[in-house]
Amino acid sequence: MAKILCVLYDDPVNGYPKSYARDGIPKIATYAGGQSVPSPKQIDFKPGALLGSVSGELGLRKFLESQGHTLVVTSDKDAKNSVFDRELPDAEIVISQPFWPAYLTAERIAKAKKLKLAITAGIGSDHVDLEAAVKHGITVAEVTYSNSISVAEHVVMMILAQVRNYIPSYKWVVDGGWNIADCVERAYDLEAMNVGTVGSGRIGLAVLRRLKPFDVKLHYTDRYRLPEAVEKELNLTYHPSVEALVRVCDVVTVNVPLHAETEHLFNDALIGKMKRGAYLINTARGNICDRDAVVRALKSGQLAGYAGDVWYPQPAPKNHPWRTMPHHGMTPHVSGTTLSAQARYAAGTREILECWFDKRPIRDDYLIVDGGKLAGAGAHSYSLRKSA
Ligand code: NDP
């Protein structure tokens, strides 16, 4: 029987909810493009409930314990001698969410002698040292597509909030003011702006589709070009490099995984090539942007705004400069963990676990590392450090 170690974020400060703002969530049959939604044999939770926090347990306890497995759930992951560190050495499976990542470093993996499977309940497995996972024959899987649309909606919201100066205007209201000129001195229309995505996978393409009705000029760059029909439908301009894209865009949104090629991609040099007064929206991973270069660019006016929900490390320390830099629209890492998204990635986690225990293959779309190499979705979108 296996021990499953699940690291989730804390419950709300006032306790686990007893009721919700809405009575349920809409049902989605398939994702755009035809990929099927998670399809476990059964679920033991009500879609729309808070599943991603410690008491929500991703709805897994009944299922795992009925099969004789042990489930340990904790949010204590970073402190010295954390529950995560104490429980890891004999865990066979670790489940973690990118919003509250249990960093599976090479050192931790070396100590986790029984670890065979690391599941990301969500998308983005960069909190796992993939090179170490390859070396130790650990399978890494994530629930591809489960929250891609959740993030795409957040990106559109953040673009509009930045360009239209929403957050400072809201603050004037809350503070009892009516300072119209203060609100509008940095407010613009998005219409006719050049908007580009770095990465046109599930999230990037969904952002492009959602922005099309705003009558903006759409741009993208990616390692692989989109089908011609999609380029035509959305009137897209393809750029062979990130540099070429950022030179012409008023708004840039980052939608690539964090891996060897994208770490600190947005540094002083690249931000310096952007149009003065561009907006940078990063909901992909904090470390794709150089932390201090972003602060410098906002202070100098090279960037008019920066927004996103991803940081390094997470949770961000109280003194992280992105909390206090000018013209930012940061949130904690929340875009991919709406109650709607949680229902999908909890079901996907269950599907992966059912496959694992039944010795059935995990779908290719969910695999990042398997059999000692990048596999499935991971082989397509990730790269390993050269030393691996
Ligand atoms: P996809 O795999 O569908 O898309 C990623 C795209 O990025 C792919 O088209 C990939 O190219 C492309 N890409 C990878 N490396 C490069 C590179 N060096 N240059 C240009 N393009 C590159 O993933 P999603 O769209 O679903 O998610 C993207 C990322 O967003 C995730 O990896 C995760 O980090 C983040 N995310 C954040 C969430 C949040 O809550 N904030 C939630 C979910 C995801 P190709 O595959 O064609 O090689």
Side-chain angles (χ1 to χ4, degrees):
M1 290 299 111
K3 172 169 154 186
I4 296 99
L5 177 54
C6 187
V7 179
L8 301 176
Y9 46 78
D10 287 314
D11 286 347
V13 286
N14 292 325
Y16 192 74
K18 293 188 177 64
S19 65
Y20 292 90
R22 295 179 54 78
D23 295 331
I25 56 171
K27 210 170 172 176
I28 292 169
T30 48
Y31 300 121
Q35 185 181 316
S36 61
V37 294
S39 46
K41 291 182 202 157
Q42 201 188 315
I43 53 168
D44 299 314
F45 59 82
K46 189 168 179 292
L50 178 62
L51 301 166
S53 75
V54 169
S55 297
E57 300 183 321
L58 293 175
L60 292 173
R61 185 168 295 279
K62 191 172 164 203
F63 159 64
L64 291 171
E65 291 187 345
S66 69
Q67 300 203 0
H69 303 301
T70 305
L71 174 66
V72 177
V73 181
T74 182
S75 64
D76 180 21
K77 67 185 182 78
D78 294 322
K80 204 164 175 250
N81 199 27
S82 65
V83 173
F84 178 55
D85 275 316
R86 289 204 305 273
E87 298 283 351
L88 188 59
D90 62 345
E92 178 178 324
I93 299 172
V94 166
I95 303 171
S96 172
Q97 299 172 109
F99 325 102
W100 189 260
Y103 294 107
L104 266 176
T105 57
E107 297 73 38
R108 280 182 165 146
I109 286 178
K111 287 182 197 152
K113 301 278 183 227
K114 296 200 170 160
L115 185 61
K116 295 195 181 73
L117 174 65
I119 303 176
T120 302
I123 305 174
S125 297
D126 49 277
H127 58 281
V128 180
D129 187 314
L130 296 182
E131 287 78 8
V134 163
K135 194 169 143 207
H136 290 264
I138 294 166
T139 296
V140 181
E142 61 185 49
V143 192
T144 311
Y145 227 142
S146 58
N147 54 14
S148 303
I149 301 306
S150 323
V151 179
E153 289 184 2
H154 205 85
V155 172
V156 173
M157 173 183 81
M158 286 188 150
I159 291 174
L160 288 167
Q162 282 296 308
V163 173
R164 304 197 59 93
N165 208 34
Y166 170 66
I167 298 169
S169 306
Y170 175 79
K171 197 162 179 301
W172 279 115
V173 169
V174 172
D175 292 347
W178 192 261
N179 301 45
I180 294 173
D182 289 278
C183 298
V184 300
E185 68 172 344
R186 296 182 68 86
Y188 298 88
D189 290 349
L190 183 62
E191 184 182 24
M193 284 193 176
N194 288 279
V195 183
T197 174
V198 180
S200 57
R202 294 170 185 86
I203 297 174
L205 181 56
V207 170
L208 293 169
R209 284 195 189 289
R210 276 152 185 75
L211 286 176
K212 170 86 172 131
F214 283 88
D215 288 334
V216 289
K217 295 167 205 139
L218 293 171
H219 303 254
Y220 80 102
T221 183
D222 197 293
R223 298 195 299 197
Y224 299 89
R225 216 162 154 165
L226 289 164
E228 213 182 318
V230 176
E231 288 192 351
K232 272 206 181 124
E233 178 202 337
L234 300 175
N235 196 17
L236 300 179
T237 304
Y238 171 75
H239 297 268
S241 68
V242 184
E243 285 79 4
L245 177 130
V246 301
R247 278 183 201 285
V248 298
C249 284
D250 305 289
V251 180
V252 174
T253 152
V254 184
N255 299 296
V256 286
L258 172 64
H259 58 115
E261 284 170 25
T262 58
E263 190 166 5
H264 291 161
L265 179 64
F266 280 83
N267 53 16
D268 285 310
L270 186 63
I271 294 174
K273 287 178 183 148
M274 297 175 77
K275 280 171 123 174
R276 193 193 77 84
Y279 303 88
L280 182 56
I281 311 296
N282 176 17
T283 52
R285 283 297 177 263
N287 262 345
I288 295 174
C289 296
D290 175 327
R291 187 192 70 175
D292 297 334
V294 167
V295 178
R296 281 190 286 272
L298 286 168
K299 285 186 175 160
S300 73
Q302 174 60 14
L303 285 178
Y306 181 93
D309 68 331
V310 284
W311 309 66
Y312 185 81
Q314 291 186 175
K318 282 221 164 71
N319 64 354
H320 194 295
W322 287 4
R323 289 182 188 268
T324 49
M325 63 192 179
H327 313 305
H328 81 78
M330 295 299 295
T331 62
H333 193 167
V334 292
S335 63
T337 185
T338 54
L339 296 176
S340 327
Q342 289 172 41
R344 290 188 294 272
Y345 67 68
T349 302
R350 167 105 179 224
E351 179 188 322
I352 292 168
L353 288 167
E354 287 177 357
C355 290
W356 183 261
F357 294 129
D358 293 353
K359 301 199 175 358
R360 284 184 284 123
I362 296 167
R363 25 168 141 177
D364 242 25
D365 280 333
Y366 289 176
L367 286 175
I368 302 299
V369 172
D370 194 38
K373 55 182 185 343
L374 288 177
H380 193 70
S381 292
Y382 285 78
S383 65
L384 294 174
R385 288 193 298 270
K386 292 218 163 52
S387 55

